[in-house]
């Protein structure tokens, strides 16, 4: 199994989905490290409950993005990490960090990229007139939210959606999509999509992503 580190800044519900998927013996990844830039977040409790080591690296303790990324790099190297999953990790990474992990780092973003890149994608969707949105798993490059798309899931946007209702529907799709995308990515092959547990969720895998 590949040794995966999950980088978080908050609740860690996508971390939880990856932990649960990785418990299956034939899943190609093991979550061996959780790294948070914020102390006290719920994702750290999820890691502890799953007996996965976690490290907090508060970004405010470092004078620059480069120094913060170097601190992360040293923890990742010490832990023999093969692959990184960003899961609600809300820091922009330096080009030297993204270069070091090129082809070995995924991110999940709550929109159908390339639409609604960047900060508060769900707020951007709510302020727009789109009627379909979703979530994307993509490889990470130095340009924010612009790597190759590995897999996407679609979510309807209702006219009376609140932030909570739309976020809930997007999270439900993300929790199936991220384990699916990581598995497909690590195997370097297209794999059958997960059972359609959610009505209205459409998954597609980008076969050209590798
Ligand atoms: C997820 O919805 C993820 O797509 C989003 O943060 C949430 C984290 O939730 N990521 C971004 O907006 C990245 N720009 P979680 O902590 O419960 O997994």
């Amino acid at each position: 199994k590949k040794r995966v580190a999950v980088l978080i800044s908050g609740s860690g519900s996508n971390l939880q989905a990856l932990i649960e998927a990785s418990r299956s013996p034939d899943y190609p990844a093991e979550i061996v490290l959780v790294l948070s830039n914020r102390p006290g977040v719920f994702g750290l409790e999820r890691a502890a409950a799953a007996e996965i080591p976690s490290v907090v690296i508060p970004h405010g303790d470092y004078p620059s993005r480069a120094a913060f990324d170097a601190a992360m790099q040293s923890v990742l190297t010490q832990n023999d990490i093969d692959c990184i999953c960003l899961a609600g990790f809300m820091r922009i990474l330096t080009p030297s960090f993204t270069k070091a992990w090129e082809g070995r780092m995924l991110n999940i973003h709550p929109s159908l990229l390339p639409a609604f890149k960047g900060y508060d994608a769900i707020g951007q969707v709510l302020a727009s007139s789109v009627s379909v949105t979703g979530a994307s798993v993509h490889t990470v490059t130095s340009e924010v939210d612009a790597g190759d798309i590995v897999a996407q899931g679609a979510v309807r946007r209702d006219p009376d959606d609140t932030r909570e209702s739309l976020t809930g529907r997007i999270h439900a799709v993300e929790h199936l999509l991220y384990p699916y995308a990581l598995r497909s990515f690590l195997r370097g092959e297209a794999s059958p999509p997960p059972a359609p547990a959610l009505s209205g969720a459409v998954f597609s895998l980008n076969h050209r992503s590798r």
Side-chain angles (χ1 to χ4, degrees), residues 56-101:
V56 178
I57 303 183
H59 60 271
D61 289 359
Y62 295 84
S64 63
R65 286 190 192 276
F68 169 68
D69 286 5
M72 289 204 297
Q73 181 64 25
S74 108
V75 171
L76 293 163
T77 307
Q78 281 161 25
N79 284 276
D80 261 327
I81 298 304
D82 299 312
C83 181
I84 295 175
C85 287
L86 307 179
F89 182 71
M90 298 303 190
R91 300 297 301 169
I92 289 173
L93 297 163
T94 56
S96 77
F97 188 89
T98 57
K99 185 85 197 154
W101 291 93

Side-chain angles (χ1 to χ4, degrees), residues 8-16 43 46 86-90 107-111 117-122 134-136 138 144-145 167 170-171 174-175 178:
I8 62 166
S9 302
S11 144
S13 67
N14 283 285
L15 163 67
Q16 187 73 47
R46 297 182 193 269
L86 307 179
F89 182 71
M90 298 303 190
N107 180 43
I108 189 160
H109 182 78
S111 76
K117 292 179 183 177
Y119 179 69
D120 192 16
I122 293 177
S136 304
H138 62 95
V144 174
D145 300 330
T167 301
I170 288 181
H171 272 178
E174 287 186 331
H175 300 161
Y178 213 170

Side-chain angles (χ1 to χ4, degrees), residues 1 4-8 11-25 27-35 42-54 85 87 174-175 178-180 182:
K1 289 196 179 203
V4 171
V6 181
L7 274 49
I8 62 166
S11 144
S13 67
N14 283 285
L15 163 67
Q16 187 73 47
L18 291 169
I19 290 171
E20 281 161 23
S22 69
R23 287 193 179 127
S24 157
Y27 197 79
E30 186 183 357
I31 313 303
V32 295
L33 180 69
V34 172
L35 216 155
F42 189 58
L44 292 165
E45 291 180 36
R46 297 182 193 269
E51 299 182 347
I52 297 170
S54 62
C85 287
E174 287 186 331
H175 300 161
Y178 213 170
Y180 165 63
L182 176 63

